Amino acid sequence: MAAAPKVGFVSLGCPKALVDSEGILTRLRAEGYAISPSYKGADLVVVNTCGFIESAVLESLDAIGEALEENGRVIVTGCLGAKGDIVRQTHPKVLAVTGPHALEEVMTAVHEHLPKPHDPFADLVPPQGIKLTPRHYAYLKISEGCNHRCTFCIIPSLRGDLVSRPIGEVMREAESLVNAGVKELLVISQDTSAYGVDLKYRTGFWAGGRSRRAWAIWRRRSENWAYGCGSTTFIPIRMWTT
């Protein structure tokens, strides 16, 4: 059995930040990651920063720089991540930056840069989830609901207004399905052409960076898709992966 990937952790700031750190560490351990007590023993390092006053900002930037120097693979979270681009301007080599109380974003970045190997003897669910379709194709739902109020359609009253899934989440699920051997992806939603409108095309994390790249790829791939109410869109894998 492969050794569990190890994550180093640096927690700075107030008790609220400490509680955030506890939540991240708890989630890491629950998912099978080991916590490294040193930089050199870690596969990557998470630094939970403070940005309240100038001395805290400097301390956080110094901690990020130390982690980069000692380890080289650093994910930054916490209040300093919410203060514009100061982290990336000072340390452009960090893997990802999130704001405070951002457990899901931090875990998304960890999964992206340090995937936990699937253990068929311990994991009850395969990486792609439980599917009811044949192995060669799968449905990929990108949103729920619809903002239109067509007189002939009951969908908005049943499923509510449009709620798009974050683009990074969609792209990661697609990659997981491809890696599991799926040959055809069928993109489904009630209003495919409205996907992302409710999110204002908000960026996230995918493939090692902000998902502006993901939006560009998504739009390029979707130029010839057939849009429509309740549509299902076929994507051959050769189109997805090129």
PDB file of all heavy atoms in Angstrom, residues 36-64:
ATOM      1  N   SER A  36       2.580  16.352   8.417  1.00  0.00           N
ATOM      2  CA  SER A  36       4.027  16.334   8.613  1.00  0.00           C
ATOM      3  C   SER A  36       4.443  17.397   9.626  1.00  0.00           C
ATOM      4  O   SER A  36       3.981  18.543   9.540  1.00  0.00           O
ATOM      5  CB  SER A  36       4.747  16.577   7.281  1.00  0.00           C
ATOM      6  OG  SER A  36       6.137  16.730   7.483  1.00  0.00           O
ATOM      7  N   PRO A  37       5.331  17.062  10.573  1.00  0.00           N
ATOM      8  CA  PRO A  37       5.803  18.057  11.547  1.00  0.00           C
ATOM      9  C   PRO A  37       6.915  18.952  11.016  1.00  0.00           C
ATOM     10  O   PRO A  37       7.356  19.871  11.691  1.00  0.00           O
ATOM     11  CB  PRO A  37       6.325  17.186  12.696  1.00  0.00           C
ATOM     12  CG  PRO A  37       6.799  15.938  12.014  1.00  0.00           C
ATOM     13  CD  PRO A  37       5.854  15.705  10.859  1.00  0.00           C
ATOM     14  N   SER A  38       7.384  18.683   9.785  1.00  0.00           N
ATOM     15  CA  SER A  38       8.482  19.478   9.231  1.00  0.00           C
ATOM     16  C   SER A  38       8.224  19.785   7.760  1.00  0.00           C
ATOM     17  O   SER A  38       7.454  19.098   7.093  1.00  0.00           O
ATOM     18  CB  SER A  38       9.809  18.729   9.367  1.00  0.00           C
ATOM     19  OG  SER A  38       9.821  17.572   8.539  1.00  0.00           O
ATOM     20  N   TYR A  39       8.901  20.824   7.278  1.00  0.00           N
ATOM     21  CA  TYR A  39       8.788  21.167   5.864  1.00  0.00           C
ATOM     22  C   TYR A  39       9.331  20.045   4.977  1.00  0.00           C
ATOM     23  O   TYR A  39       8.717  19.675   3.977  1.00  0.00           O
ATOM     24  CB  TYR A  39       9.565  22.446   5.565  1.00  0.00           C
ATOM     25  CG  TYR A  39       8.980  23.705   6.151  1.00  0.00           C
ATOM     26  CD1 TYR A  39       9.765  24.549   6.944  1.00  0.00           C
ATOM     27  CD2 TYR A  39       7.663  24.078   5.895  1.00  0.00           C
ATOM     28  CE1 TYR A  39       9.251  25.719   7.474  1.00  0.00           C
ATOM     29  CE2 TYR A  39       7.140  25.246   6.424  1.00  0.00           C
ATOM     30  CZ  TYR A  39       7.929  26.064   7.210  1.00  0.00           C
ATOM     31  OH  TYR A  39       7.416  27.214   7.723  1.00  0.00           O
ATOM     32  N   LYS A  40      10.475  19.526   5.343  1.00  0.00           N
ATOM     33  CA  LYS A  40      11.163  18.576   4.474  1.00  0.00           C
ATOM     34  C   LYS A  40      10.420  17.250   4.353  1.00  0.00           C
ATOM     35  O   LYS A  40      10.555  16.544   3.366  1.00  0.00           O
ATOM     36  CB  LYS A  40      12.594  18.342   4.980  1.00  0.00           C
ATOM     37  CG  LYS A  40      13.471  19.590   4.899  1.00  0.00           C
ATOM     38  CD  LYS A  40      14.916  19.278   5.217  1.00  0.00           C
ATOM     39  CE  LYS A  40      15.769  20.547   5.184  1.00  0.00           C
ATOM     40  NZ  LYS A  40      15.721  21.222   3.899  1.00  0.00           N
ATOM     41  N   GLY A  41       9.627  16.925   5.366  1.00  0.00           N
ATOM     42  CA  GLY A  41       8.888  15.676   5.306  1.00  0.00           C
ATOM     43  C   GLY A  41       7.536  15.789   4.638  1.00  0.00           C
ATOM     44  O   GLY A  41       6.817  14.799   4.507  1.00  0.00           O
ATOM     45  N   ALA A  42       7.165  17.001   4.200  1.00  0.00           N
ATOM     46  CA  ALA A  42       5.840  17.232   3.628  1.00  0.00           C
ATOM     47  C   ALA A  42       5.875  17.215   2.105  1.00  0.00           C
ATOM     48  O   ALA A  42       6.863  17.617   1.483  1.00  0.00           O
ATOM     49  CB  ALA A  42       5.298  18.575   4.114  1.00  0.00           C
ATOM     50  N   ASP A  43       4.776  16.765   1.525  1.00  0.00           N
ATOM     51  CA  ASP A  43       4.626  16.811   0.068  1.00  0.00           C
ATOM     52  C   ASP A  43       4.163  18.186  -0.390  1.00  0.00           C
ATOM     53  O   ASP A  43       4.390  18.580  -1.527  1.00  0.00           O
ATOM     54  CB  ASP A  43       3.644  15.736  -0.398  1.00  0.00           C
ATOM     55  CG  ASP A  43       4.154  14.329  -0.103  1.00  0.00           C
ATOM     56  OD1 ASP A  43       5.243  13.993  -0.601  1.00  0.00           O
ATOM     57  OD2 ASP A  43       3.470  13.590   0.618  1.00  0.00           O
ATOM     58  N   LEU A  44       3.473  18.889   0.483  1.00  0.00           N
ATOM     59  CA  LEU A  44       3.158  20.314   0.281  1.00  0.00           C
ATOM     60  C   LEU A  44       2.847  20.914   1.640  1.00  0.00           C
ATOM     61  O   LEU A  44       2.640  20.197   2.620  1.00  0.00           O
ATOM     62  CB  LEU A  44       2.031  20.530  -0.731  1.00  0.00           C
ATOM     63  CG  LEU A  44       0.604  20.034  -0.478  1.00  0.00           C
ATOM     64  CD1 LEU A  44      -0.134  20.900   0.537  1.00  0.00           C
ATOM     65  CD2 LEU A  44      -0.187  20.052  -1.780  1.00  0.00           C
ATOM     66  N   VAL A  45       2.778  22.244   1.685  1.00  0.00           N
ATOM     67  CA  VAL A  45       2.553  22.952   2.945  1.00  0.00           C
ATOM     68  C   VAL A  45       1.378  23.916   2.781  1.00  0.00           C
ATOM     69  O   VAL A  45       1.278  24.626   1.765  1.00  0.00           O
ATOM     70  CB  VAL A  45       3.809  23.742   3.376  1.00  0.00           C
ATOM     71  CG1 VAL A  45       3.543  24.537   4.650  1.00  0.00           C
ATOM     72  CG2 VAL A  45       4.991  22.806   3.577  1.00  0.00           C
ATOM     73  N   VAL A  46       0.497  23.937   3.779  1.00  0.00           N
ATOM     74  CA  VAL A  46      -0.592  24.916   3.832  1.00  0.00           C
ATOM     75  C   VAL A  46      -0.228  25.965   4.876  1.00  0.00           C
ATOM     76  O   VAL A  46       0.134  25.623   6.011  1.00  0.00           O
ATOM     77  CB  VAL A  46      -1.929  24.253   4.207  1.00  0.00           C
ATOM     78  CG1 VAL A  46      -3.030  25.307   4.342  1.00  0.00           C
ATOM     79  CG2 VAL A  46      -2.321  23.207   3.174  1.00  0.00           C
ATOM     80  N   VAL A  47      -0.294  27.238   4.502  1.00  0.00           N
ATOM     81  CA  VAL A  47      -0.017  28.338   5.435  1.00  0.00           C
ATOM     82  C   VAL A  47      -1.301  29.136   5.626  1.00  0.00           C
ATOM     83  O   VAL A  47      -1.823  29.731   4.676  1.00  0.00           O
ATOM     84  CB  VAL A  47       1.106  29.256   4.911  1.00  0.00           C
ATOM     85  CG1 VAL A  47       1.361  30.379   5.916  1.00  0.00           C
ATOM     86  CG2 VAL A  47       2.381  28.467   4.666  1.00  0.00           C
ATOM     87  N   ASN A  48      -1.813  29.128   6.853  1.00  0.00           N
ATOM     88  CA  ASN A  48      -2.996  29.917   7.197  1.00  0.00           C
ATOM     89  C   ASN A  48      -2.525  31.261   7.736  1.00  0.00           C
ATOM     90  O   ASN A  48      -1.914  31.330   8.800  1.00  0.00           O
ATOM     91  CB  ASN A  48      -3.847  29.182   8.231  1.00  0.00           C
ATOM     92  CG  ASN A  48      -5.214  29.835   8.409  1.00  0.00           C
ATOM     93  OD1 ASN A  48      -5.548  30.798   7.730  1.00  0.00           O
ATOM     94  ND2 ASN A  48      -6.005  29.298   9.321  1.00  0.00           N
ATOM     95  N   THR A  49      -2.794  32.327   7.011  1.00  0.00           N
ATOM     96  CA  THR A  49      -2.184  33.630   7.262  1.00  0.00           C
ATOM     97  C   THR A  49      -3.091  34.576   8.051  1.00  0.00           C
ATOM     98  O   THR A  49      -4.292  34.358   8.203  1.00  0.00           O
ATOM     99  CB  THR A  49      -1.837  34.308   5.929  1.00  0.00           C
ATOM    100  OG1 THR A  49      -3.053  34.490   5.184  1.00  0.00           O
ATOM    101  CG2 THR A  49      -0.874  33.455   5.128  1.00  0.00           C
ATOM    102  N   CYS A  50      -2.473  35.667   8.497  1.00  0.00           N
ATOM    103  CA  CYS A  50      -3.189  36.784   9.111  1.00  0.00           C
ATOM    104  C   CYS A  50      -2.871  38.049   8.313  1.00  0.00           C
ATOM    105  O   CYS A  50      -1.749  38.210   7.821  1.00  0.00           O
ATOM    106  CB  CYS A  50      -2.767  36.964  10.571  1.00  0.00           C
ATOM    107  SG  CYS A  50      -3.593  38.337  11.414  1.00  0.00           S
ATOM    108  N   GLY A  51      -3.836  38.939   8.187  1.00  0.00           N
ATOM    109  CA  GLY A  51      -3.592  40.174   7.443  1.00  0.00           C
ATOM    110  C   GLY A  51      -4.164  41.376   8.139  1.00  0.00           C
ATOM    111  O   GLY A  51      -4.471  42.389   7.503  1.00  0.00           O
ATOM    112  N   PHE A  52      -4.307  41.293   9.478  1.00  0.00           N
ATOM    113  CA  PHE A  52      -5.027  42.336  10.211  1.00  0.00           C
ATOM    114  C   PHE A  52      -4.239  43.629  10.310  1.00  0.00           C
ATOM    115  O   PHE A  52      -4.750  44.706  10.015  1.00  0.00           O
ATOM    116  CB  PHE A  52      -5.388  41.807  11.602  1.00  0.00           C
ATOM    117  CG  PHE A  52      -6.242  42.756  12.397  1.00  0.00           C
ATOM    118  CD1 PHE A  52      -7.477  43.182  11.911  1.00  0.00           C
ATOM    119  CD2 PHE A  52      -5.809  43.230  13.619  1.00  0.00           C
ATOM    120  CE1 PHE A  52      -8.253  44.057  12.642  1.00  0.00           C
ATOM    121  CE2 PHE A  52      -6.586  44.114  14.361  1.00  0.00           C
ATOM    122  CZ  PHE A  52      -7.811  44.522  13.864  1.00  0.00           C
ATOM    123  N   ILE A  53      -2.992  43.549  10.744  1.00  0.00           N
ATOM    124  CA  ILE A  53      -2.151  44.739  10.854  1.00  0.00           C
ATOM    125  C   ILE A  53      -0.862  44.491  10.078  1.00  0.00           C
ATOM    126  O   ILE A  53      -0.573  43.366   9.663  1.00  0.00           O
ATOM    127  CB  ILE A  53      -1.834  45.082  12.325  1.00  0.00           C
ATOM    128  CG1 ILE A  53      -1.151  43.908  13.030  1.00  0.00           C
ATOM    129  CG2 ILE A  53      -3.113  45.479  13.064  1.00  0.00           C
ATOM    130  CD1 ILE A  53      -0.770  44.194  14.466  1.00  0.00           C
ATOM    131  N   GLU A  54      -0.080  45.555   9.900  1.00  0.00           N
ATOM    132  CA  GLU A  54       1.105  45.454   9.047  1.00  0.00           C
ATOM    133  C   GLU A  54       2.093  44.402   9.538  1.00  0.00           C
ATOM    134  O   GLU A  54       2.657  43.642   8.743  1.00  0.00           O
ATOM    135  CB  GLU A  54       1.806  46.818   8.963  1.00  0.00           C
ATOM    136  CG  GLU A  54       2.985  46.822   7.995  1.00  0.00           C
ATOM    137  CD  GLU A  54       3.624  48.186   7.864  1.00  0.00           C
ATOM    138  OE1 GLU A  54       3.122  49.142   8.491  1.00  0.00           O
ATOM    139  OE2 GLU A  54       4.633  48.297   7.135  1.00  0.00           O
ATOM    140  N   SER A  55       2.290  44.329  10.866  1.00  0.00           N
ATOM    141  CA  SER A  55       3.246  43.337  11.385  1.00  0.00           C
ATOM    142  C   SER A  55       2.762  41.919  11.107  1.00  0.00           C
ATOM    143  O   SER A  55       3.562  41.020  10.829  1.00  0.00           O
ATOM    144  CB  SER A  55       3.445  43.540  12.887  1.00  0.00           C
ATOM    145  OG  SER A  55       2.224  43.385  13.596  1.00  0.00           O
ATOM    146  N   ALA A  56       1.443  41.702  11.141  1.00  0.00           N
ATOM    147  CA  ALA A  56       0.888  40.382  10.849  1.00  0.00           C
ATOM    148  C   ALA A  56       1.064  40.043   9.371  1.00  0.00           C
ATOM    149  O   ALA A  56       1.344  38.888   9.014  1.00  0.00           O
ATOM    150  CB  ALA A  56      -0.586  40.336  11.238  1.00  0.00           C
ATOM    151  N   VAL A  57       0.898  41.040   8.519  1.00  0.00           N
ATOM    152  CA  VAL A  57       1.107  40.837   7.086  1.00  0.00           C
ATOM    153  C   VAL A  57       2.544  40.420   6.816  1.00  0.00           C
ATOM    154  O   VAL A  57       2.808  39.465   6.075  1.00  0.00           O
ATOM    155  CB  VAL A  57       0.753  42.111   6.291  1.00  0.00           C
ATOM    156  CG1 VAL A  57       1.186  41.975   4.832  1.00  0.00           C
ATOM    157  CG2 VAL A  57      -0.741  42.396   6.375  1.00  0.00           C
ATOM    158  N   LEU A  58       3.488  41.136   7.425  1.00  0.00           N
ATOM    159  CA  LEU A  58       4.909  40.823   7.224  1.00  0.00           C
ATOM    160  C   LEU A  58       5.246  39.432   7.750  1.00  0.00           C
ATOM    161  O   LEU A  58       5.985  38.684   7.122  1.00  0.00           O
ATOM    162  CB  LEU A  58       5.778  41.875   7.900  1.00  0.00           C
ATOM    163  CG  LEU A  58       5.692  43.288   7.317  1.00  0.00           C
ATOM    164  CD1 LEU A  58       6.518  44.272   8.146  1.00  0.00           C
ATOM    165  CD2 LEU A  58       6.159  43.306   5.861  1.00  0.00           C
ATOM    166  N   GLU A  59       4.687  39.089   8.914  1.00  0.00           N
ATOM    167  CA  GLU A  59       4.926  37.762   9.475  1.00  0.00           C
ATOM    168  C   GLU A  59       4.394  36.673   8.545  1.00  0.00           C
ATOM    169  O   GLU A  59       5.043  35.652   8.318  1.00  0.00           O
ATOM    170  CB  GLU A  59       4.258  37.640  10.844  1.00  0.00           C
ATOM    171  CG  GLU A  59       4.479  36.275  11.491  1.00  0.00           C
ATOM    172  CD  GLU A  59       3.708  36.098  12.788  1.00  0.00           C
ATOM    173  OE1 GLU A  59       2.721  36.847  12.995  1.00  0.00           O
ATOM    174  OE2 GLU A  59       4.075  35.218  13.581  1.00  0.00           O
ATOM    175  N   SER A  60       3.217  36.909   7.988  1.00  0.00           N
ATOM    176  CA  SER A  60       2.618  35.928   7.084  1.00  0.00           C
ATOM    177  C   SER A  60       3.431  35.783   5.806  1.00  0.00           C
ATOM    178  O   SER A  60       3.680  34.664   5.333  1.00  0.00           O
ATOM    179  CB  SER A  60       1.175  36.333   6.746  1.00  0.00           C
ATOM    180  OG  SER A  60       0.346  36.270   7.889  1.00  0.00           O
ATOM    181  N   LEU A  61       3.853  36.901   5.245  1.00  0.00           N
ATOM    182  CA  LEU A  61       4.660  36.845   4.023  1.00  0.00           C
ATOM    183  C   LEU A  61       5.993  36.145   4.284  1.00  0.00           C
ATOM    184  O   LEU A  61       6.474  35.370   3.434  1.00  0.00           O
ATOM    185  CB  LEU A  61       4.890  38.254   3.479  1.00  0.00           C
ATOM    186  CG  LEU A  61       3.656  38.966   2.909  1.00  0.00           C
ATOM    187  CD1 LEU A  61       3.992  40.402   2.526  1.00  0.00           C
ATOM    188  CD2 LEU A  61       3.110  38.216   1.688  1.00  0.00           C
ATOM    189  N   ASP A  62       6.567  36.385   5.456  1.00  0.00           N
ATOM    190  CA  ASP A  62       7.818  35.706   5.814  1.00  0.00           C
ATOM    191  C   ASP A  62       7.597  34.197   5.951  1.00  0.00           C
ATOM    192  O   ASP A  62       8.427  33.396   5.518  1.00  0.00           O
ATOM    193  CB  ASP A  62       8.371  36.265   7.128  1.00  0.00           C
ATOM    194  CG  ASP A  62       8.979  37.651   6.970  1.00  0.00           C
ATOM    195  OD1 ASP A  62       9.236  38.050   5.807  1.00  0.00           O
ATOM    196  OD2 ASP A  62       9.192  38.338   7.991  1.00  0.00           O
ATOM    197  N   ALA A  63       6.469  33.818   6.549  1.00  0.00           N
ATOM    198  CA  ALA A  63       6.166  32.396   6.725  1.00  0.00           C
ATOM    199  C   ALA A  63       5.963  31.715   5.378  1.00  0.00           C
ATOM    200  O   ALA A  63       6.418  30.578   5.167  1.00  0.00           O
ATOM    201  CB  ALA A  63       4.924  32.230   7.599  1.00  0.00           C
ATOM    202  N   ILE A  64       5.307  32.393   4.466  1.00  0.00           N
ATOM    203  CA  ILE A  64       5.109  31.838   3.119  1.00  0.00           C
ATOM    204  C   ILE A  64       6.453  31.675   2.428  1.00  0.00           C
ATOM    205  O   ILE A  64       6.739  30.635   1.810  1.00  0.00           O
ATOM    206  CB  ILE A  64       4.181  32.751   2.291  1.00  0.00           C
ATOM    207  CG1 ILE A  64       2.789  32.802   2.909  1.00  0.00           C
ATOM    208  CG2 ILE A  64       4.104  32.254   0.844  1.00  0.00           C
ATOM    209  CD1 ILE A  64       1.901  33.884   2.329  1.00  0.00           C
TER     210      ILE A  64
END
